[in-house]
Amino acid sequence: MIRNGTLIDGSGKPSARNDSIVIAGNRIESVGALPGYIHVEDRKTVEVVDAAGKWIMPGLIDAHCHMSYGYPLIKGEGKGKGTTRPEFSTLKSARSAQKVLRAGVTSISVPGGTWFTDVGVRDAIKLGLMAGPRMFVAGRMIVTYGCIEDDEPSWEGTPDHSIGKLCNTADEMVTEVRRQGKHGVNFIKMADSRSGESQMLAKEEIAAVVGEAHRRNLRVAIHSRGAGSTRAAAEAGVDWIVHADLATDRDLEAVAKAGVPILPTATFLAVVVELGQKVGAEQVQLDINRMKRHYDLLGELMHKARKLGIKLLVGTDTGNNAFTRHGELHAKELEIFVRHGGYTPMQAIVAATRDNAVAVGLEGQVGQVAAGQLADIIVLDKDPVADIAVLQDTKNLALVIKDGKIVDLEPRDEMLVFQQAAE
Ligand SMILES: [Zn+2]
């Protein structure tokens, strides 16, 4: 039971004084007045957390977090990307998952990875082998020649350790959906051209993937910056669209009409631009001007989407690069929503909790502090509604509860091992 404190319940209702939140097993049993059947003095069956002077809210959900790209790089790791050694990569992913949870992120959506690493880590967490967030995972991204993640020449194709999976016909795509479904993914990730310069996936191909995936109870997400694929994806019925920064107003109207959410993911771009200005474009090895343009467009997109009633999801692209480290950036996107997207802090919190539940396949089940919801809760020493950046500093985290259990935030021995490796 959590007593006292200020409750931000994830529904968008104003913050309010909390009397009691009762958790039984992994669900929230009641919120509000202390139920008569509970005897607070009975410390054998009731564990009481006093949150007086603190703020209580749903655990954060990062709707865009990669776990098996081979990052973070560890000094001494040796040649070759971690992804060429799935066994090593799996252990790294497991470790990263623990850091994510200790940052107050109780659920993540993983739109693409190598092998079936993320499926394995997800299940290890689910079965209690290790601590970690709830994970909702895709496998390798379905791409055609020239799409993002088709980086090798045609005679090499997409090697087994890569993040993309070449499928140049609708039939090949459907077969890949079936293969990934057999190996336990929760959703299918498709990926169009890298920067949206041209449409690489035909509407019929997207529709074929959506049809097969939905028949198998798998969801579908698509990396789509460009106008053509964004409209095609909306009309084909994908479950959410990632980026969409180059979509025209008419395309966004099609997205709104189809009721498809957009996951803009501005954090990665913000980090590149900030870092690039600090250490120089050469060091980050990315086109800063292009990143800045995408970043500005995403700010505009956030305003337009709100006007059109398009639901925006909150994700960061953590784990997609050496400088997007796990456990550090998950709440940055909320600040960007507020500073560039015209959101109030409360609206950003709702987007990153209740609304984000769709990206982990648990809409109505997680993301709110309400009776019947899964018990994923964080307690903070400072008020995130007064300053949304509070969520970015783990020093402000007093408590993380996932699935009704209190998370150990100080894994001393493990940190020691990591610090040694980093020296
Ligand atoms: Zn990504």
Side-chain angles (χ1 to χ4, degrees):
M1 180 189 330
I2 305 172
R3 298 219 68 177
N4 306 317
T6 303
L7 176 62
I8 300 158
D9 71 1
S11 73
K13 269 195 310 218
S15 310
R17 210 195 139 268
N18 170 54
D19 186 3
S20 77
I21 298 163
V22 178
I23 297 166
N26 70 340
R27 297 257 172 197
I28 297 169
E29 196 164 278
S30 69
V31 178
L34 183 67
Y37 62 89
I38 291 189
H39 303 287
V40 180
E41 324 70 50
D42 176 13
R43 293 299 160 95
K44 264 192 208 137
T45 48
V46 184
E47 184 182 357
V48 180
V49 170
D50 184 5
K54 300 184 197 295
W55 286 263
I56 307 157
M57 61 173 274
L60 290 170
I61 300 173
D62 189 338
H64 193 158
C65 181
H66 298 288
M67 301 303 291
S68 57
Y69 273 28
Y71 300 114
L73 295 170
I74 297 174
K75 208 175 168 189
E77 188 177 314
K79 269 194 175 174
K81 283 184 188 167
T83 58
T84 58
R85 291 180 290 165
E87 302 86 351
F88 186 77
S89 184
T90 304
L91 291 167
K92 264 169 76 169
S93 302
R95 196 176 173 290
S96 299
Q98 294 171 2
K99 293 176 117 184
V100 170
L101 179 61
R102 285 172 194 141
V105 180
T106 45
S107 298
I108 56 172
S109 188
V110 186
T114 53
W115 311 93
F116 289 107
T117 304
D118 301 313
V119 171
V121 174
R122 176 199 68 195
D123 289 353
I125 292 167
K126 212 189 266 178
L127 296 172
L129 285 178
M130 52 174 271
R134 298 172 193 286
M135 287 173 62
F136 195 73
V137 311
R140 291 165 63 186
M141 298 173 206
I142 291 179
V143 298
T144 61
Y145 276 144
C147 285
I148 186 169
E149 313 305 350
D150 172 39
D151 296 328
E152 305 293 332
S154 63
W155 53 90
E156 293 295 337
T158 47
D160 281 355
H161 61 267
S162 72
I163 294 150
K165 174 78 182 165
L166 257 187
C167 299
N168 273 310
T169 66
D171 281 353
E172 286 173 10
M173 291 176 190
V174 165
T175 302
E176 181 62 14
V177 170
R178 291 175 174 166
R179 188 181 81 91
Q180 293 192 8
K182 172 185 161 92
H183 287 280
V185 302
N186 302 109
F187 68 104
I188 302 296
K189 173 85 179 283
M190 303 193 81
D192 198 72
S193 60
R194 185 172 291 272
S195 312
E197 59 277 8
S198 51
Q199 184 182 347
M200 303 289 214
L201 299 166
K203 187 179 161 189
E204 298 72 37
E205 290 169 333
I206 302 171
V209 167
V210 169
E212 186 59 31
H214 284 178
R215 195 158 38 240
R216 290 172 179 249
N217 293 322
L218 304 171
R219 303 201 181 184
V220 180
I222 184 168
H223 163 103
S224 170
R225 291 196 180 277
S229 57
T230 298
R231 188 187 189 85
E235 287 170 357
V238 304
D239 295 278
W240 63 94
I241 296 169
V242 188
H243 307 306
D245 49 330
L246 298 179
T248 64
D249 290 357
R250 277 195 57 221
D251 297 318
L252 288 178
E253 276 162 25
V255 174
K257 194 173 156 222
V260 178
I262 292 175
L263 170 58
T265 318
T267 297
F268 171 65
L269 303 166
V271 172
V272 171
V273 173
E274 280 167 24
L275 196 70
Q277 279 157 357
K278 225 190 282 172
V279 302
E282 253 165 57
Q283 282 224 36
V284 289
Q285 295 188 335
L286 288 155
D287 182 344
I288 307 286
N289 290 332
R290 181 166 73 79
M291 295 291 164
K292 181 82 174 70
R293 184 166 147 258
H294 284 310
Y295 183 71
D296 292 342
L297 285 169
L298 280 181
E300 283 174 36
L301 170 79
M302 288 173 193
H303 285 281
K304 284 183 193 165
R306 276 174 54 254
K307 251 181 236 147
L308 288 167
I310 298 171
K311 194 191 278 184
L312 292 187
L313 308 179
V314 179
T316 60
D317 231 334
T318 287
N320 78 336
N321 211 300
F323 47 81
T324 50
R325 288 183 291 267
H326 299 92
E328 296 181 6
L329 295 167
H330 307 287
K332 193 175 172 70
E333 188 84 1
L334 287 92
E335 189 189 354
I336 297 172
F337 269 48
V338 171
R339 278 179 39 203
H340 293 275
Y343 275 56
T344 65
M346 186 61 94
Q347 286 169 337
I349 287 171
V350 171
T353 55
R354 183 193 70 188
D355 289 356
N356 251 3
V358 69
V360 291
L362 288 170
E363 54 270 51
Q365 297 278 314
V366 81
Q368 290 183 74
V369 181
Q373 292 256 321
L374 289 161
D376 291 3
I377 295 172
I378 58 176
V379 179
L380 300 149
D381 290 328
K382 291 184 184 165
D383 181 4
V385 176
D387 178 10
I388 197 71
V390 157
L391 290 166
Q392 291 174 55
D393 189 346
T394 51
K395 281 204 286 297
N396 297 324
L397 266 183
L399 192 72
V400 176
I401 296 174
K402 186 215 146 194
D403 241 348
K405 293 196 183 76
I406 294 174
V407 174
D408 182 0
L409 297 178
E410 288 184 55
R412 291 168 199 85
D413 53 347
E414 188 205 340
M415 290 314 285
L416 191 68
V417 172
F418 179 68
Q419 278 160 10
Q420 279 170 351
E423 271 161 16

